Structures are given as C-alpha cells and as structure tokens.
Amino acid sequence: MKSINMKVNPLYSDVDLSIVFQFEFEQFGNKIGEAFVSTYSTAGHPVQIRKGKHGSFTKTDKTAVIDQFEVVGGVEKNCMKKLKHFLGVIGISNVHSGYTLRSRFGE
C-alpha cells in the first residue's frame, strides 16, 4: 500500500453546491487510476461539539458519494482504503458508493 501515491484535487460544483474531490492514484510513477467523490452536508440538526468563551462551535454531518472509481493492476482495495482514510481524516465517515467497480484489464 505504501507504493501507491494518491493526489487529491478539490473542486467546487456550482450545480449541486458540493465539493467534489478528484483522486489520482499512482504506483511507481505511473497513473493506475482515478476516482471522483462528491461531498454533501447531511440534512438534519448540527451537533454542538464545543462551547467556549467566544461562543459555540457546531459540526455538521457530511456524507460522501463515490461517483466514479476506476483502478488497474489489482490494487483496487488498497486504493479504496487510502481514499476512505482521507475522507475519515477530513471528518467524513458516512460513505456511499454510486459507482460500479471497474478494472481496465478485467482484474
């Protein structure tokens, strides 16, 4: 898994007011795949996470939808693990798949 590098390019979508992340996966300097993930604020009540002397801070639940995921070379699971780890780091644990896993060489 350490031999796989992941680049993240955030994009803003005016159409549905979401942030879309483009992920590019590389192994040994060669591009092996990419993914597109849309993120949305989950409807509902914001959760209060901290009250300080300068006011309250709130956190809104966020959801991610994997719109496209295409990787070659049999490393799909490792790439998906890296992608989900990144989403977890930015506070998104609710991830849905809106894609069909495809491999260019039928692996």
Side-chain angles (χ1 to χ4, degrees), residues 20-33:
V20 178
F21 291 98
Q22 176 200 20
F23 295 88
E24 292 181 8
F25 302 101
E26 292 182 353
Q27 188 174 36
F28 308 117
N30 298 314
K31 183 175 176 181
I32 58 169

Side-chain angles (χ1 to χ4, degrees), residues 2-86:
K2 292 182 180 183
S3 66
I4 299 171
N5 293 319
M6 182 176 73
K7 293 181 186 176
V8 181
N9 303 310
L11 309 163
Y12 180 73
S13 173
D14 288 331
V15 175
D16 55 2
L17 304 177
S18 67
I19 296 175
V20 178
F21 291 98
Q22 176 200 20
F23 295 88
E24 292 181 8
F25 302 101
E26 292 182 353
Q27 188 174 36
F28 308 117
N30 298 314
K31 183 175 176 181
I32 58 169
E34 67 181 349
F36 290 90
V37 177
S38 301
T39 59
Y40 305 93
S41 293
T42 306
H45 303 288
V47 178
Q48 185 174 336
I49 60 169
R50 184 175 162 202
K51 205 174 208 179
K53 63 181 177 179
H54 298 291
S56 295
F57 300 92
T58 57
K59 175 183 175 185
T60 304
D61 288 332
K62 293 184 176 64
T63 299
V65 177
I66 302 172
D67 300 313
Q68 179 183 346
F69 183 83
E70 189 171 332
V71 177
V72 298
V75 292
E76 293 90 351
K77 288 182 182 179
N78 289 337
C79 291
M80 182 61 73
K81 189 174 181 179
K82 279 186 167 278
L83 186 151
K84 287 185 175 181
H85 176 74
F86 171 82

